[in-house]
Amino acid sequence: MKKYLSSMLVMMCILLSAVVASAEKAEWKADNYNINKVQKIYVEDVVEKGDNVSFSELEDLKIRQSLDENEKYIKKYRIVNNKEIADAVLSVKMLSWGTNKRWVNEEKVTENQTITHTGKDGKTSSVTIPVTVTKPGYYYYTQYFSAKFVLTDKDGNIIFERIDKREDEKNAYDMFNRAVKDFYKDVNSLK
């Protein structure tokens, strides 16, 4: 039983070591800014791209759609379509976007296998033995992005800024969508 449990523990560790997921946030908030004078927010139409960032037109549309659909989470302000009447402007710059490909080397692991035998008399017997197997190497893919969200007032003063960086097996767009939702909700906490 101890051999079985230790083998299972080793297998779990191997499986968990292959999973790569990360999320990091860095943010800054203007402490002395009177946020109560902000009533209307304009969300920029274009997502600026960093020097090494490229994505398809479809991804660009999905990113813009994410910004639009999540506006409902900004509840303490009114979203306006005219930048001229807005008290603050929200802009997004995509700093990175892509897919990582990592090679996981082949490995030898010991697994318990049970062999069952049925005799001529109809009786069955079984024995469990450790067997060493070679797991082949494989490519492991993750998607990632990092984006800078900035809320500025009419004069260009930064009210709230966040850099959100995420990597996981999930689709980069889905992770970005969650980052937008989180940022919009946190804009509410400024008031």
Side-chain angles (χ1 to χ4, degrees):
M1 183 68 173
K2 284 184 181 181
K3 270 188 175 180
Y4 177 74
L5 288 174
S6 64
S7 296
M8 290 301 294
L9 182 61
V10 169
M11 289 299 293
M12 295 278 288
C13 290
I14 291 169
L15 290 173
L16 292 175
S17 68
V19 176
V20 175
S22 67
E24 298 175 37
K25 291 181 197 173
E27 61 184 41
W28 180 85
K29 182 175 103 171
D31 292 332
N32 58 352
Y33 190 85
N34 181 7
I35 195 68
N36 291 324
K37 62 184 179 180
V38 175
Q39 301 298 318
K40 298 173 275 192
I41 295 178
Y42 173 79
V43 180
E44 287 284 356
D45 288 333
V46 177
V47 173
E48 189 181 343
K49 295 178 190 176
D51 294 336
N52 297 323
V53 175
S54 66
F55 39 77
S56 69
E57 286 183 35
L58 178 60
E59 287 173 315
D60 195 23
L61 287 170
K62 287 174 116 181
I63 287 167
R64 182 63 217 160
Q65 180 181 5
S66 176
L67 292 170
D68 291 342
E69 288 179 353
N70 286 304
E71 286 178 358
K72 64 187 175 198
Y73 293 104
I74 300 178
K75 296 180 179 187
K76 294 186 179 181
Y77 307 90
R78 192 174 73 154
I79 303 298
V80 294
N81 293 326
N82 183 348
K83 194 174 187 175
E84 301 299 319
I85 64 168
D87 303 315
V89 175
L90 178 94
S91 61
V92 179
K93 180 176 183 178
M94 198 64 70
L95 304 174
S96 66
W97 181 275
T99 302
N100 280 327
K101 176 180 172 181
R102 293 180 180 91
W103 175 253
V104 177
N105 290 325
E106 75 175 32
E107 60 185 330
K108 292 184 187 252
V109 295
T110 301
E111 296 177 345
N112 287 329
Q113 291 185 359
T114 302
I115 300 170
T116 304
H117 174 72
T118 305
K120 292 179 182 180
D121 59 357
K123 292 184 179 180
T124 59
S125 62
S126 61
V127 63
T128 301
I129 58 171
V131 177
T132 301
V133 295
T134 301
K135 303 266 185 183
Y138 61 93
Y139 282 105
Y140 179 75
Y141 296 89
T142 59
Q143 292 193 3
Y144 65 89
F145 83 91
S146 60
K148 183 177 185 178
F149 299 87
V150 182
L151 183 66
T152 57
D153 68 6
K154 287 182 187 183
D155 301 322
N157 299 314
I158 297 174
I159 302 168
F160 185 47
E161 177 178 68
R162 174 181 292 158
I163 295 177
D164 198 323
K165 178 181 177 183
R166 302 182 188 208
E167 180 176 0
D168 201 347
E169 293 175 316
K170 299 175 185 171
N171 183 302
Y173 166 75
D174 293 335
M175 291 184 291
F176 176 75
N177 190 49
R178 183 70 188 146
V180 170
K181 192 181 300 183
D182 291 346
F183 182 77
Y184 283 1
K185 286 179 178 179
D186 291 344
V187 166
N188 291 315
S189 68
L190 297 174
K191 270 198 174 185

